[in-house]
Amino acid sequence: MIYSILIRIYSIKNYFCRCKIGVTLSNNKIMKKILSLLVLLVVFTSCEEDVKFNTPAVQGYKNNDLWKADEFTATVNSSGRVVITAINEFETVVLRMRDRNPGVYTVGLNQSNAASYTISELTGVGDSFQTNAEQGIGEIIISADPRETNLAAGYISGSFHFNAVNDEDEIVYFTRGVFYKVPLTVVP
């Protein structure tokens, strides 16, 4: 493959050297120009923009594997409690905070804030993990950045991490969780 490319470059060089354009170029200058053009051609054809924006989004790492929601909602009631529900095919993550104001909300035993993870019965497994057990701990952080959380405009952003426990004392770990510009709906 490389040999055939070099043969083609050599034949192009010979063509330019024999043409009668009034100015003769040395072999080195022609080769440098041809190689420069090839390098530029390769650089420009191999670059493409694969950036995918994920706005809004809810995702995190469940037991070190990426977990990403297909559907999500955030609701706030008249007393200010916020509930974020994120669903993918057979799994649901629910984050509950006692207030809608930006800040850090600790989840765990005897806390008014909570996080849960549920596997649907449709999988044949069906299980529920909660943070309101002794080993269930974590935090939900509502961002104070007005570009990320704007209650008047109707969206909320932040991060979360938690350990949730089921009835058999099995633990599911969520780390590096993010909810970003999730639409916020006011409910009675």
Side-chain angles (χ1 to χ4, degrees), residues 9-10 13-14 16-17 24-36:
I9 292 172
Y10 184 74
K13 175 197 69 96
N14 284 339
F16 282 114
C17 286
T24 57
L25 298 172
S26 71
N27 288 343
N28 287 340
K29 286 184 180 179
I30 292 173
M31 287 301 285
K32 285 181 184 177
K33 288 186 180 209
I34 291 172
L35 286 175
S36 298

Side-chain angles (χ1 to χ4, degrees), residues 90-124:
F90 297 110
E91 303 167 300
T92 304
V93 171
V94 178
L95 306 173
R96 291 181 178 83
M97 289 135 307
R98 72 176 182 278
D99 197 6
R100 65 176 162 236
N101 293 324
V104 178
Y105 298 90
T106 302
V107 299
L109 187 62
N110 299 323
Q111 296 291 327
S112 57
N113 310 303
S116 64
Y117 167 74
T118 306
I119 303 171
S120 171
E121 294 287 337
L122 296 174
T123 62

